[in-house]
Amino acid sequence: MNNEKDNWVLIQRYVLGIALPEERRELELWLDKDPENKKCLQDVEEIMAVSLEDKIEVSAERSWKDINLDLTDKDSRKKPGRVAF
């Protein structure tokens, strides 16, 4: 693998299951080079598993409703403007 930043990106993609076939082969070669690499991957898998379990449910529809209510409330609090003729 090229540099440390690329390594971490590749490891994340691999753990998330979105690595391309060539990326998986590259990571598997890296894993075979050193037992510490396998330990590193296992550690990342454990950390990401815990992180993904704690993810927050987000509803786009609910968020838009909240934004709309907030905007509506702000509009209703505006003072009436002056009309010039």
Side-chain angles (χ1 to χ4, degrees), residues 30-40 42:
W30 177 76
L31 292 172
D32 291 339
K33 285 183 181 179
D34 187 340
E36 283 298 311
N37 294 348
K38 290 180 183 178
K39 175 69 174 123
C40 177
Q42 291 171 343

Side-chain angles (χ1 to χ4, degrees), residues 78-85:
K78 287 183 180 177
K79 294 179 182 178
R82 297 177 68 183
V83 179
F85 292 94

Side-chain angles (χ1 to χ4, degrees), residues 5-64:
K5 182 179 176 188
D6 291 340
N7 294 354
W8 287 110
V9 171
L10 186 56
I11 290 168
Q12 288 176 332
R13 290 177 56 78
Y14 184 88
V15 171
L16 291 171
I18 60 173
L20 300 172
E22 63 190 46
E23 292 173 323
R24 287 195 301 273
R25 282 191 295 277
E26 183 179 351
L27 185 77
E28 289 162 359
L29 290 172
W30 177 76
L31 292 172
D32 291 339
K33 285 183 181 179
D34 187 340
E36 283 298 311
N37 294 348
K38 290 180 183 178
K39 175 69 174 123
C40 177
L41 177 64
Q42 291 171 343
D43 291 345
V44 171
E45 288 174 326
E46 289 176 20
I47 291 167
M48 290 183 72
V50 170
S51 297
L52 292 173
E53 287 174 5
D54 292 339
K55 71 179 182 182
I56 299 171
E57 283 294 319
V58 176
S59 166
E61 183 178 342
R62 178 67 190 154
S63 297
W64 279 115

